Amino acid sequence: MSKMAPPEEVMKVDYSTPAESWMDVKPEFKLGNYSYPGKPDVLKYLGLPNPREWNPVEEDWKLPPDWREIVRDGFRELLKKYRSLKVFMDVCVRCGACADKCHFYIGSGDPKNMPVLRAELLRSIYRGEFTVAAKILGKLSGSRKLEEDVIKEWFMYFYQCTQCRRCSLYCPYGIDTAEITFLARDLMNRIGVNINWILEPVANCNRTGNHLGIQPHAFKDMMDFLVDDIETITGRRVEPTFHRKGAEILFITPSGDIFAEPGIYTFMGYLLLFDYLDLDVTWSTYASEGGNFGSFTNDKWMKKLNAKMYHEAKRLGVKYIIGGECGHMWRVLNQFMDTMNGPADFLEVPKSPITGTVFNNAKSTKMIHLVEFTADLIKNGKLKLDKSRNAGITATWHDSCNTSRGMGFFDEPRYVLENVVEKFVDMPAQTIREQTFCCGGGAGLNNGEFTEMRLRGGLPRGNALRYVQEKFGVNTMSCICAIDRATLPGLADYWAPGVKVTGLHELVGNALVFEGEEERTMNLRQEDLPGVEGSEEDE
Amino acid sequence: MNTVETLLAANRESIVQRWQHLILDTYPPETAKLWKKSSDPYHNPVGARIRETAEAVVDYLASGGDKAALEPVLDRLDELVRVRAVQNFAPSQAAGFLFLLKKILREGFWQDFSEANAWDQLLAMETRIDGLALASLDLYAKCREKLHEIKYKDLERSQVQLLKRAQLIVGIGEGESAD
């Protein structure tokens, strides 16, 4: 009979992780830690190379035989095209300021999620393939050669970056990891290494008009159902129009708002607001997508999907565009539109027909965000709002990365929120405004197979939310991004159970008081308003 | 308080710190190094939760078996297990950090136990630690169930409206009766 080890032997179990150089640690793919690869049909439709069935957990990724040359040539081309890339590759001094700033790093502890190391995945190849130092110093210079494992590592970690740009805020040189991720994904696309959750929406958007592939008649049908719901709730019949030539404004929002909860309530909020103002606004099924998954693919597709909105504005002859509560639509618009497709000279500088305010910030793009439009209305006393319709809510505000860090909306949404709810509390200073933490679902990572990773990346946001929930009784988190609205309910359910997620215009829609209106007994979710019990209980 | 509990209380700070470091050593070395240094609860929530949980558990164990309330310490354990449940750990690794405390007690105080001949007390203490480890495994299982529930709900949120709109599913009308 074998002897049992003495207790002290048993307790010598060492859980600590052995020290290994990061270059020697290979990525381990298992179900749940990667997003599914692009489907062959989708790649073919988009004209992307190397369409095939492949699986990241298998050894053979079926790369094209000349994949090394393709990546090298592509890298060379991008370095030439984007001076920023060359600067980012050369300038990092490894000061460590970014190390603990990434939400995926904070949540996972995986060193390759430190922004410095994420960039190093690309930088090591840059050094190894394009610089003299590597030829003399080899690995000592932090360089390495392009092997298949490097591509696997890129796939793992550049699809664990939501391009939120929090790290770049802390970098003394302003190295923008989001741009590095953009370009790394561009390189991978050249050899057919990509994810379906990004490419299929791009294909759908190009073909059908929106990421989800909702066809025009279905879009109209869903709108009709929401119009019916609005009538049930408010007694008002709103009458949105489609493709109306000569309308003053074209309104475009993410397609997630038209059917997914809780986005639909925000959608109803838009419709109510436009009805309240009797705004000369039209919708389009061709431009039925505010989001731009092209920006997660490459510059070609980002440009094309963005251009689609402007084509429609031109075709309809509107004066300007208002965009709904979307995130990366605004990143593309604010950061890239002007040089890609702008200036939009055929449109007029947006001027609010209600207040007369001219939005000179959108002088060139001619497109404004609904939240600045609404904030301006409230500031000028044009909306009658009843906060008690949102009674019982203690709200906090989630700054969506793209609208806050990407374009500087910090005060406008808070101003609107404070005007429609009775209680509002901000999360801790290090976790909001410029320093906001990502929801974990940006840049194409809000797919079903990635939920566990997303919760991991959502820890910093969830942790801050938990703090205000426990300390101030926060029970609602509001935001202006469709990906947030899809991602945050799960995040809240895990990290701060009991907090619900709303779009901003859902709360505006609840609070709007129409002249001569019927008394409202329920909110846009058809929940009884506080103090108004179900009619049977009242009797 | 018996001898083992007194030792625990008297060495609270060093035990908590040692335990915190051992738990952090279950992460990659670069991370363990960084997280041992940082006390910012928002940039290092994992480190902060480990510290708070370690304190709560040590205080609970030091305060004597029947006197301490179990609920608050389970709430603290939940905060930490919730994190480790989505961090790529095997279930045993995610919930097994309690056993590292046994290691600390044996390595640090073996001589003291021996001198006081407090072996029965040590056994009792270790049994309580085992109990908390099992409770952590329960918490782990709950977190994983929650994860799957979230996946299901995400799917439902994104699809149910489509089914209703397509009239593939129809609910019960208002005031409608089965009779």
Side-chain angles (χ1 to χ4, degrees), chain B residues 8-174:
Chain B
L8 215 58
N11 297 282
R12 180 185 188 264
E13 268 317 297
S14 66
I15 292 172
V16 166
Q17 198 189 23
R18 171 99 178 104
W19 192 19
Q20 186 192 15
H21 285 190
L22 283 180
I23 299 173
L24 284 171
D25 283 336
T26 62
Y27 294 88
E30 298 90 340
T31 297
K33 195 173 152 195
L34 193 65
W35 284 357
K36 281 175 193 172
K37 280 189 292 188
S38 162
S39 59
D40 180 337
Y42 300 105
H43 282 130
N44 183 15
V46 181
R49 284 181 188 219
I50 290 174
R51 169 128 211 128
E52 284 161 13
T53 305
E55 283 171 352
V57 170
V58 170
D59 289 346
Y60 166 77
L61 293 171
S63 61
D66 303 329
K67 284 167 243 148
L70 186 59
E71 278 306 312
V73 80
L74 288 183
D75 286 347
R76 276 281 145 234
L77 279 174
D78 178 71
E79 298 277 323
L80 180 54
V81 172
R82 190 164 290 274
V83 170
R84 291 174 70 86
V86 290
Q87 279 184 328
N88 208 25
F89 288 114
S92 55
Q93 291 170 320
F97 60 88
L98 260 307
F99 298 121
L100 295 168
L101 183 58
K102 288 162 86 170
K103 177 183 164 87
I104 293 165
L105 292 184
R106 290 185 187 193
E107 283 179 0
F109 307 101
W110 195 261
Q111 195 63 35
D112 301 281
F113 300 144
S114 184
E115 279 166 17
N117 196 23
W119 303 117
D120 54 339
Q121 293 175 21
L122 179 64
L123 276 177
M125 178 60 75
E126 292 203 344
T127 305
R128 291 176 69 203
I129 294 174
D130 292 343
L132 290 178
L134 284 173
S136 298
L137 201 60
D138 288 346
L139 293 169
Y140 173 87
K142 272 190 199 156
C143 289
R144 298 298 296 188
E145 275 171 20
K146 188 64 164 175
L147 166 69
H148 296 297
E149 184 192 314
I150 287 168
K151 281 188 183 185
Y152 157 74
K153 280 191 182 167
D154 277 349
L155 190 69
E156 190 182 62
R157 261 195 302 274
S158 67
Q159 306 296 334
V160 74
Q161 291 297 328
L162 279 183
L163 297 176
K164 276 189 200 163
R165 297 307 183 233
Q167 300 201 328
L168 291 173
I169 53 173
V170 178
I172 297 158
E174 206 178 316

Side-chain angles (χ1 to χ4, degrees), chain A residues 5-13, chain B residues 103 106-107 110:
Chain A
E8 58 271 39
E9 284 290 311
V10 175
M11 286 316 298
K12 273 184 188 157
V13 174
Chain B
K103 177 183 164 87
R106 290 185 187 193
E107 283 179 0
W110 195 261

